């Protein structure tokens, strides 16, 4: 799933909606609930860095995979927390 998401940039089509939501809110933070490893948000983070400066993504999960979270955060440490 991650390979397909990254290879075909599947989330690019939702970025205008995400950008509009962030711009209309008081903050620049996305909370990804039940994100699994969080790796699906890596491409989204790359796009957000270009369009919305100082944006943040908070990863959360009921049973978090801490090692996976660390790996995702390492890819974009200024965005993920």
């Amino acid at each position: 799933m991650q390979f397909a998401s990254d290879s075909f940039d599947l989330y690019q089509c939702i970025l205008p909606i995400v950008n509009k939501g962030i711009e209309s809110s008081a903050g620049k933070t996305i909370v990804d609930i039940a994100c699994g490893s969080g790796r699906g948000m890596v491409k989204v983070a790359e796009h957000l860095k270009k369009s919305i400066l100082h944006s943040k993504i908070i990863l959360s999960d009921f049973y978090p995979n801490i090692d996976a979270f660390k790996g995702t955060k390492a890819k974009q440490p200024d965005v993920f927390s």
Side-chain angles (χ1 to χ4, degrees), residues 11-48:
Y11 294 111
Q12 186 173 10
C13 63
I14 65 160
L15 288 171
I17 297 166
V18 171
N19 285 337
K20 185 176 179 180
I22 290 174
E23 289 170 359
S24 67
S25 72
K28 297 180 179 182
T29 303
I30 295 172
V31 178
D32 187 359
I33 299 170
C35 68
S37 69
R39 293 201 173 117
M41 295 296 283
V42 171
K43 280 285 193 186
V44 173
E46 289 175 13
H47 290 294
L48 282 177

Side-chain angles (χ1 to χ4, degrees), residues 2-79:
Q2 182 63 44
F3 176 77
S5 170
D6 288 349
S7 296
F8 299 107
D9 205 2
L10 295 177
Y11 294 111
Q12 186 173 10
C13 63
I14 65 160
L15 288 171
I17 297 166
V18 171
N19 285 337
K20 185 176 179 180
I22 290 174
E23 289 170 359
S24 67
S25 72
K28 297 180 179 182
T29 303
I30 295 172
V31 178
D32 187 359
I33 299 170
C35 68
S37 69
R39 293 201 173 117
M41 295 296 283
V42 171
K43 280 285 193 186
V44 173
E46 289 175 13
H47 290 294
L48 282 177
K49 281 179 67 171
K50 295 175 190 172
S51 61
I52 299 176
L53 298 177
H54 310 295
S55 56
K56 295 285 181 192
I57 299 173
I58 298 172
L59 304 175
S60 68
D61 200 283
F62 194 67
Y63 298 106
N65 181 337
I66 302 301
D67 290 334
F69 279 18
K70 287 178 182 177
T72 299
K73 185 174 179 173
K75 293 179 184 292
Q76 296 284 342
D78 54 329
V79 177

